[in-house]
Amino acid sequence: MLVGEIMKNKGVGVIAVAPDQTMLEVLRLFRDNNIGFVVVSQSNDEYLGSLSERDCCNAVAEFGAEAAMMRVADVMNRNVATCSTRDLLPSVMGIMTQRRTRHVLVLDGGDVVGVVSIGDVVKHRLDEAQRTEQDLQDYICGTRYH
């Protein structure tokens, strides 16, 4: 399956934050939206980096309680894992494994169109396994086959 198909099912778009926001503001955004990843951006057409729950945990481990008031620009990941809408899902799974990340930014041309998360990958693989199981059951029982 192409990443673009996953984006069609999931919906496009990302939540972005400004680099001068505090980590505490972003953590509240995570909580309120039930997410764990945001794009860091100055404007709609460019991204500067990303911030994930893991980035926040690492900042707290390094800087202690003062990390909560640090600017996103001081904590964000500037080397964001990306893929294309035309990439196959196994390719994205490889990126996640190699980069040890749970989120990959999806680009169409140079535009950010969304994020594929490990949850999206698991959902797709689970749906695929269930379809295969049903097809095998139908084949064994002789249903839906002529």
Side-chain angles (χ1 to χ4, degrees):
M1 171 172 272
L2 294 175
V3 172
E5 292 299 313
I6 291 174
M7 296 311 303
K8 284 180 189 172
N9 296 333
K10 177 181 180 175
V12 295
V14 295
I15 295 179
V17 298
D20 60 339
Q21 286 185 260
T22 66
M23 230 178 52
L24 183 59
E25 291 173 313
V26 174
L27 288 169
R28 287 181 176 144
L29 183 72
F30 284 173
R31 179 199 60 204
D32 295 345
N33 291 280
N34 196 28
I35 59 172
F37 179 90
V38 291
V39 172
V40 182
S41 177
Q42 269 310 70
S43 65
N44 286 341
D45 36 345
E46 73 169 317
Y47 71 93
L48 305 171
S50 67
L51 190 70
S52 69
E53 291 169 319
R54 181 179 291 171
D55 297 325
C56 296
C57 288
N58 289 340
V60 170
E62 185 172 345
F63 301 107
E66 67 188 52
M69 297 314 295
M70 291 178 72
R71 291 176 341 117
V72 168
D74 298 326
V75 181
M76 71 181 188
N77 175 9
R78 289 170 171 32
N79 187 19
V80 182
T82 62
C83 69
S84 165
T85 55
R86 294 174 305 282
D87 285 338
L88 293 170
L89 189 59
S91 172
V92 175
M93 293 165 65
I95 291 168
M96 288 178 172
T97 301
Q98 182 182 28
R99 299 279 303 271
R100 298 187 53 80
T101 185
R102 296 180 189 103
H103 302 90
V104 177
L105 204 55
V106 181
L107 305 176
D108 188 10
D111 299 328
V112 174
V113 295
V115 175
V116 172
S117 71
I118 191 70
D120 299 326
V121 171
V122 169
K123 180 185 181 319
H124 172 74
R125 297 299 291 198
L126 180 61
D127 291 346
E128 188 177 67
Q130 288 172 334
R131 280 190 307 272
T132 300
E133 181 180 343
Q134 185 63 53
D135 288 345
L136 288 171
Q137 181 124 12
D138 291 346
Y139 178 74
I140 290 167
C141 295
T143 57
R144 291 198 306 155
Y145 288 89
H146 295 82

